[in-house]
């Protein structure tokens, strides 16, 4: 495989016959969800959106780290930080927004144990999660959940 550096675009070339090759683990296309166009609307259109899409998978490990994000995106860590800053965000802010949204979603679902939620979001302990949640929302998780159940917030 020839590697060219300094090119204007990134590309991977492969023989056309690979397009019709079977995907290991799938017995038929019936197992694939139908393409109704909704997926295209959900695709991120900027770097911060791409990083957020990647970071979701890393929530249980405490979020996506800059070194891993740089490796995945092909940018150096510093370039990735600069490009995200140009979009008005950072990887830490992206991880925080995702953790906050995931925590709120779990609190809406049921009365899950806060320690369990904290661990699922990559916190080593419950107290750290509660401090972060208070920073995000101004409330503790339990108070937030009580306000949800009273209909004070939606």
């Amino acid at each position: 495989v020839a590697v060219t550096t300094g090119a204007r675009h990134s590309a991977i070339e492969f023989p056309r016959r690979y397009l019709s090759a079977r995907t290991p683990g799938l017995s038929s296309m019936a197992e694939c969800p139908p393409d109704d166009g909704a997926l295209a609307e959900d695709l991120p259109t900027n770097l911060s959106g791409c990083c957020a899409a990647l970071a979701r998978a890393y929530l249980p490990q405490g979020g996506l780290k800059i070194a891993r994000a740089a490796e995945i995106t092909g940018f150096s860590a510093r370039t990735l930080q600069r490009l995200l800053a140009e979009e008005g965000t950072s990887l830490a802010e992206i991880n925080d927004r995702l953790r906050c949204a995931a925590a709120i979603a779990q609190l809406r679902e049921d009365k899950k144990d806060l320690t369990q939620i904290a661990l699922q979001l990559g916190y080593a302990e419950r107290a750290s999660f509660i401090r972060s949640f208070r920073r995000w929302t101004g409330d503790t998780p339990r108070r937030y959940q009580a306000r949800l159940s009273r209909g004070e917030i939606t």
Side-chain angles (χ1 to χ4, degrees), residues 98-139:
L98 290 172
R99 281 174 143 180
C100 178
I104 289 172
Q106 289 188 35
L107 289 172
R108 284 181 189 277
E109 286 179 18
D110 55 27
K111 301 237 184 235
K112 246 185 200 173
D113 178 58
L114 290 183
T115 302
Q116 185 181 7
I117 295 173
L119 293 174
Q120 289 174 349
L121 296 178
Y123 288 94
E125 54 190 43
R126 174 184 165 137
S128 299
F129 166 65
I130 292 171
R131 278 192 301 275
S132 291
F133 194 88
R134 187 179 292 134
R135 181 172 43 87
W136 299 326
T137 65
D139 267 332

Side-chain angles (χ1 to χ4, degrees), residues 6-79:
R8 287 185 61 189
H9 304 283
S10 297
I12 298 174
E13 293 183 13
F14 54 88
R16 183 178 294 273
R17 69 180 181 276
Y18 289 178
L19 292 173
S20 61
R22 293 183 51 85
T23 303
L26 287 181
S27 60
S28 73
M29 289 306 288
E31 294 179 33
C32 296
D35 181 13
D36 59 3
L39 292 177
E41 294 171 8
D42 294 337
L43 291 177
T45 57
N46 57 16
L47 182 59
S48 58
C50 290
C51 286
L54 290 170
R56 279 184 188 88
Y58 289 85
L59 285 179
Q61 292 91 32
L64 181 61
K65 306 295 186 250
I66 193 71
R68 182 68 179 131
E71 181 183 333
I72 293 169
T73 61
F75 294 113
S76 70
R78 183 64 197 115
T79 298

Side-chain angles (χ1 to χ4, degrees), residues 86-98:
E86 288 174 8
E87 291 185 16
T89 192
S90 68
L91 195 55
E93 289 174 3
I94 291 168
N95 282 321
D96 252 10
R97 284 194 308 268
L98 290 172

